[in-house]
Amino acid sequence: MSAPPVIARLTGHLGHLTLNRPAAINALTAEMVTIIRHTLALWAASDRVRTVLVTGAGGRGLCAGGDIRAIHADAVSGGTGSLDFWADEYRLNATIAAYPKPIVAWMDGLVMGGGIGISGHAALRVVTQRSRLAMPEVGIGFHPDVGGSWLLSHAPGQLGTHLALTGTPIGAADAIAAGLADHYIPSERLPYLRLALARRDAAGAVASFATAPPESDLTAARGWIDDCYSGDTMDGIVERLARHPDADARAAAETIATRSPTSLAVTLRSLRSAARLPDLPAALAQEYRLSAALLRLPDLAEGIRAQIIDKDRQPRWQPATVADVPPELVDACIAPIDNPPDLRVEGQK
């Protein structure tokens, strides 16, 4: 028999969830989301479980995102499976954020897209010297979902805008600086932390193993990042980046030029709007509308084709530049839809 895609274990008063698709760097499937939601519901009602730990199998990362090939199949065929998956996944993100017991997310190795959704809303988010976090969706014609718009729009200054529009991977120190993680613990200490979590309160156990992270490059770059990304138009942001004397700013402009123009415009609107929304469920509801709209636009299928299917890294975006993205297209993507799924969970208003 093959191993389950999510392994649930109880040790002492610790419930330990291990994402178990190591060959795919634990990319999420609909089955995995269902298992996690069901297990968390059982553990929330159990007097035995006081803390939940989430880790990834295989040593390469916690979670590399969602099942991109399945999304591509829906995008090219007009299928609806991705809509059901996103609704369940976003409910899981809301569940993690509202969970009545501390969830400790071990963000070791690669943590991308859906992996941020699994870990970024947890009560105690731990990064290591091996952590590489990213929300790279604009590179495949999509947008930062799974609550990414909420997390990134509440990052200090314009750090979240920079990360969303470039899709740049960051390490542990930058993850903490951007508000995506809380504590730095070297990866070799995980077995000892796991034992401590089974016996002690979660916050105290994590704090006892945490050490000071390295210095953050993002914090050092706040000057040009806050200056260049402060506007509400992609044209203005790109122009300021391209003209800035800092070489890193100009490099960011070059990176953004390779991303889907439609995704960039939608993502910028999403971040600015999410910053004014009342809570995570409201942001997830907005993200669902955007996801449903982008599923039917050409860039998502084309971006996944270029990056994952054919791997030619030569996407043909439609439209080809941010200047050519009609504002009314972005308006239509973010507009209310008929019969939206209810993404709130118990404990959230």
Side-chain angles (χ1 to χ4, degrees), residues 283-345:
L284 290 166
Q286 176 174 275
E287 289 174 4
Y288 181 86
R289 299 195 300 271
L290 296 174
S291 297
L294 291 173
L295 182 65
R296 304 306 178 209
L297 293 178
D299 277 7
L300 181 56
E302 173 61 11
I304 298 174
R305 178 207 65 77
Q307 298 296 330
I308 306 298
I309 307 299
D310 297 337
K311 299 182 180 180
D312 60 20
R313 309 292 193 269
Q314 297 293 325
R316 296 178 289 274
W317 304 123
Q318 300 178 47
T321 69
V322 292
D324 292 330
V325 178
E328 55 269 24
L329 175 62
V330 182
D331 294 340
C333 288
I334 207 167
I337 59 176
D338 295 331
N339 302 314
D342 184 2
L343 302 179
R344 293 181 184 273
V345 297

Side-chain angles (χ1 to χ4, degrees), residues 207-295:
S208 69
F209 285 93
T211 62
E215 292 187 8
S216 164
D217 293 333
L218 283 182
T219 298
R222 276 287 300 275
W224 68 261
I225 288 176
D226 288 353
D227 179 48
C228 292
Y229 289 98
S230 61
D232 292 334
T233 68
M234 280 306 309
D235 281 341
I237 288 172
V238 171
E239 181 178 0
R240 284 191 293 276
L241 287 169
R243 292 184 176 181
H244 200 278
D246 194 299
D248 288 340
R250 300 193 299 274
E254 294 176 0
T255 297
I256 289 172
T258 68
R259 308 315 194 197
S260 160
T262 299
S263 290
L264 292 169
V266 165
T267 294
L268 183 61
R269 176 77 69 87
S270 175
L271 293 183
R272 298 300 188 250
S273 176
R276 300 188 297 271
L277 293 175
D279 53 27
L280 172 64
L284 290 166
Q286 176 174 275
E287 289 174 4
Y288 181 86
R289 299 195 300 271
L290 296 174
S291 297
L294 291 173
L295 182 65

Side-chain angles (χ1 to χ4, degrees), residues 44 99 138 174 187:
Y99 203 64
V138 292
D174 287 341
S187 58

Side-chain angles (χ1 to χ4, degrees), residues 55-66:
T55 63
R60 297 168 63 197
L62 172 66
C63 176

Side-chain angles (χ1 to χ4, degrees), residues 4-181:
V6 180
I7 298 172
R9 296 188 181 94
L10 286 174
T11 305
H13 62 232
L14 176 67
H16 183 184
L17 287 170
T18 303
L19 310 186
N20 190 40
R21 294 183 67 222
I25 318 182
N26 306 311
L28 291 175
T29 64
E31 180 185 13
M32 294 170 72
V33 169
T34 298
I35 293 172
I36 297 169
R37 289 184 62 204
H38 177 70
T39 305
L40 288 178
L42 290 176
W43 287 349
S46 170
D47 291 336
R48 175 178 174 180
V49 177
R50 300 180 192 173
T51 301
V52 175
L53 173 65
V54 181
T55 63
R60 297 168 63 197
L62 172 66
C63 176
D67 189 347
I68 298 299
R69 290 180 180 271
I71 295 172
H72 180 265
D74 279 347
V76 299
S77 69
T80 60
S82 294
L83 300 177
D84 296 334
F85 171 73
W86 287 324
D88 284 343
E89 185 182 24
Y90 299 171
R91 289 188 193 101
L92 173 59
N93 304 143
T95 296
I96 291 170
Y99 203 64
K101 302 174 182 182
I103 295 178
V104 180
W106 187 259
M107 305 166 78
D108 189 39
L110 193 64
V111 188
M112 297 173 61
I116 298 290
I118 291 290
S119 57
H121 307 296
L124 295 162
R125 304 164 299 175
V126 176
V127 283
T128 77
Q129 76 279 10
R130 294 167 10 95
S131 294
R132 297 295 290 170
L133 281 65
M135 294 294 288
E137 289 79 6
V138 292
I140 59 166
F142 203 50
H143 69 110
D145 65 335
V146 298
S149 68
W150 179 258
L151 293 169
L152 294 173
S153 66
H154 288 81
Q158 295 299 321
L159 295 185
T161 309
H162 170 65
L163 296 177
L165 297 182
T166 61
T168 301
I170 55 174
D174 287 341
I176 293 173
L180 298 176

